[in-house]
Amino acid sequence: MPTDLPADNTQPLRPQQIEQFERDGYVLIEGLFDEEEIDLMLRVAREDRLLHEHAFEREDTQGRQSRLSLWNHPGDDLFGIVSRSRRIVDAMEQLLGGEVYHYHSKLMLKEPRTGGAWEWHQDYGYWYQNGCLLPLMASCLIALDRASRANGCLQVLKGSQQMGRVEHGRFGEQTGADPERVEAARERFEHVYCQLDPGAGLFFHGNLLHASDANTSPDSRWSLICCYNAARNDPYKESHHPRYTPLDKVPDTAVKQIGAKPSAAEKAFLDPADDRS
Ligand code: SIN
Ligand code: MN
């Protein structure tokens, strides 16, 4: 069990949920955000000009495009406040056993009938290259739309984070895990389709193998993914994602208080040309 949490940590997760994360590599929290909060997020996701100006596409192995917008610093707009809210940050600090900072967030815009697949990979498969020595890293995926098998929900190999980091290589415009390892892992770890209701939050470990299929349905599958690194895992070198930058936590009520506030340049959106993942 983690022991060195910051003194101000509110500990939103129960010990059983932390054990689940340690065993399975993920823990699902239904209703992490309520309907009103998700409506606000969907409004910003649709209307935020800067966010769409910085959106880019990644091609899967079949030539289908997946659209996303990615930023390094949270800022004080709605998505920034969400990623600084205690229900996520304090939970992350419980899961990673100490202070965390915002590593980046991304809005995944998996569009109806066109949204491409993501190859099996571990996030730490890329983040390792950025000078992060330890896999003390995790993400929280928040479903903005309902995520189902039909619209290409996230899939995970339950418990596969226990393998540690595996080799990654280039497939199409994406980086994926060594296919031989993935095939072997698929025989030993349960394959779970994370079908989520809007507002659900999936906390998952940086070494959990995950993927998603193309969206062949008439429904979009948009989600926000907020990624964190442990403060004690400050990267030893510069990369396209930040080194330790103290995170200013906000109370959960700040999400509704800020309302549909759009983003500003301070977020440091990623230029796709700088993305080496
Ligand atoms: C990811 O691996 O970052 C996202 C995959 C997905 O949203 O389908
Ligand atoms: Mn990923």
Side-chain angles (χ1 to χ4, degrees), residues 18 28 45 96 98 116 129 137 140 143 162 164 215 217 228 255 261:
I18 300 170
L28 171 63
L96 297 177
Q129 305 292 355
M137 309 179 84
C140 179
Q162 294 176 39
N215 183 359
S217 82
Y228 301 84
V255 174
K261 184 174 177 187

Side-chain angles (χ1 to χ4, degrees), residues 106 108 110 118 121 123 141 152 154 210-212 221 223 225:
K106 50 192 175 177
M108 309 299 286
K110 206 172 216 189
W118 290 92
H121 67 277
D123 291 333
L141 180 151
L154 198 78
H210 60 284
S212 66
R221 199 218 92 192
S223 50
I225 306 183

